[in-house]
Coordinates of all heavy atoms in Angstrom, one line a residue:
S266 N 11.4 -24.1 -2.4 CA 10.4 -25.0 -3.2 C 10.0 -26.2 -2.3 O 8.8 -26.5 -2.3 CB 10.8 -25.6 -4.5 OG 12.1 -26.1 -4.3
Y272 N 3.5 -27.3 2.2 CA 2.1 -26.6 2.5 C 1.3 -26.5 1.4 O 0.2 -25.8 1.5 CB 2.5 -25.2 3.2 CG 3.0 -25.3 4.6 CD1 4.4 -25.5 4.8 CD2 2.1 -25.3 5.6 CE1 4.8 -25.7 6.1 CE2 2.5 -25.4 7.0 CZ 3.9 -25.5 7.2 OH 4.4 -25.6 8.5
K293 N 23.2 -8.8 1.1 CA 23.4 -7.4 0.6 C 22.3 -6.4 1.2 O 22.6 -5.2 1.6 CB 23.4 -7.5 -0.8 CG 24.1 -6.2 -1.4 CD 24.6 -6.5 -2.9 CE 25.5 -5.3 -3.4 NZ 25.9 -5.5 -4.7
T301 N 21.5 -3.2 13.1 CA 22.3 -3.7 14.3 C 21.3 -4.4 15.4 O 20.0 -4.2 15.1 CB 23.1 -2.6 15.0 OG1 22.1 -1.7 15.6 CG2 23.9 -1.8 14.0
G314 N 9.0 -16.0 4.9 CA 9.9 -15.7 6.0 C 11.3 -15.7 5.7 O 12.3 -15.6 6.5
L344 N 10.0 -19.5 11.1 CA 10.5 -18.5 12.1 C 10.6 -19.0 13.4 O 10.8 -18.2 14.4 CB 9.8 -17.1 11.9 CG 9.8 -16.5 10.6 CD1 8.9 -15.2 10.5 CD2 11.2 -16.1 10.1
K359 N -3.4 -0.4 6.2 CA -4.4 -0.4 7.3 C -3.8 -0.4 8.7 O -4.6 -0.2 9.6 CB -5.5 -1.3 7.1 CG -6.3 -1.1 5.8 CD -7.4 -1.9 5.7 CE -8.1 -1.6 4.3 NZ -8.5 -2.9 3.7
E394 N 4.2 9.9 5.0 CA 3.1 10.6 5.5 C 2.5 10.4 6.8 O 1.9 11.3 7.5 CB 2.1 10.9 4.4 CG 2.5 11.7 3.1 CD 1.5 11.6 2.0 OE1 0.4 10.9 2.1 OE2 1.8 12.3 1.0
P398 N 8.3 7.8 13.4 CA 9.7 8.0 13.3 C 10.4 6.9 12.7 O 10.2 5.7 12.8 CB 10.1 8.0 14.8 CG 8.9 7.5 15.5 CD 7.7 7.8 14.7
L399 N 11.1 7.2 11.5 CA 11.6 6.2 10.6 C 13.1 6.7 10.5 O 13.5 7.9 10.3 CB 11.0 6.2 9.3 CG 9.7 5.8 9.1 CD1 9.1 6.0 7.5 CD2 9.5 4.3 9.5
V406 N 12.3 -2.7 -5.3 CA 11.3 -2.2 -6.1 C 11.5 -2.4 -7.5 O 12.6 -2.9 -7.9 CB 11.0 -0.6 -5.9 CG1 10.6 -0.4 -4.5 CG2 12.3 0.1 -6.3
M414 N 12.4 7.5 -8.5 CA 12.7 8.1 -7.1 C 13.9 9.0 -7.2 O 14.0 10.0 -6.4 CB 13.0 7.0 -6.1 CG 11.7 6.2 -5.7 SD 12.4 4.8 -4.7 CE 10.7 3.9 -4.3
Q415 N 14.9 8.7 -8.1 CA 16.2 9.3 -8.0 C 16.3 10.5 -9.0 O 17.2 11.3 -8.9 CB 17.2 8.3 -8.6 CG 17.6 7.4 -7.5 CD 18.9 6.8 -7.8 OE1 19.0 6.3 -8.9 NE2 19.8 7.0 -7.1
Y433 N 11.6 13.9 1.6 CA 11.8 13.2 2.8 C 13.0 12.5 3.1 O 13.4 12.3 4.2 CB 10.6 12.0 3.1 CG 9.2 12.6 3.2 CD1 8.2 12.6 2.3 CD2 8.9 13.2 4.4 CE1 7.0 13.0 2.4 CE2 7.6 13.7 4.7 CZ 6.6 13.6 3.6 OH 5.4 14.1 3.8
N452 N 8.2 -10.2 -14.3 CA 8.4 -9.8 -15.7 C 9.3 -8.5 -15.9 O 9.5 -7.9 -16.9 CB 7.1 -9.7 -16.4 CG 6.4 -10.9 -16.4 OD1 7.0 -12.1 -16.6 ND2 5.0 -10.9 -16.3
K462 N 16.0 8.7 5.7 CA 15.2 9.8 6.1 C 16.0 11.1 6.6 O 17.0 10.9 7.3 CB 14.3 9.3 7.1 CG 13.3 10.4 7.6 CD 11.8 9.9 7.0 CE 10.9 11.1 7.3 NZ 10.5 11.4 8.5
A498 N -7.6 21.5 -10.5 CA -7.5 20.8 -9.3 C -8.6 21.3 -8.3 O -8.4 22.4 -7.8 CB -6.1 20.6 -8.6
R505 N -7.0 30.0 -12.4 CA -6.0 30.1 -13.4 C -5.3 31.5 -13.4 O -4.0 31.5 -13.5 CB -6.5 29.9 -14.8 CG -5.7 29.6 -15.9 CD -6.4 29.7 -17.2 NE -5.4 30.2 -18.3 CZ -4.9 29.3 -19.0 NH1 -5.4 28.0 -19.1 NH2 -4.0 29.8 -19.8
V508 N -2.9 31.6 -10.5 CA -1.5 31.0 -10.8 C -0.7 31.7 -11.8 O 0.6 31.9 -11.5 CB -1.9 29.6 -11.3 CG1 -0.6 28.7 -11.7 CG2 -2.7 28.7 -10.5
E509 N -1.3 32.2 -12.6 CA -0.6 33.1 -13.7 C 0.2 34.2 -12.9 O 1.3 34.6 -13.3 CB -1.3 33.5 -14.8 CG -1.7 32.3 -15.7 CD -2.7 32.6 -16.9 OE1 -3.1 33.7 -17.0 OE2 -2.8 31.6 -17.7
G516 N 8.8 35.2 -12.1 CA 9.8 35.6 -13.3 C 9.6 34.3 -14.2 O 10.6 34.1 -14.9
P518 N 7.4 32.1 -17.3 CA 6.4 32.1 -18.4 C 5.1 31.4 -18.0 O 5.2 30.6 -17.2 CB 7.0 31.4 -19.7 CG 8.1 30.7 -19.0 CD 8.6 31.2 -17.7

Side-chain angles (χ1 to χ4, degrees):
S266 50
Y272 284 86
K293 198 159 188 181
T301 71
L344 301 174
K359 296 190 183 139
E394 286 173 358
L399 295 174
V406 297
M414 287 178 180
Q415 282 203 302
Y433 289 109
N452 296 326
K462 183 103 193 288
R505 197 193 149 98
V508 181
E509 285 177 357

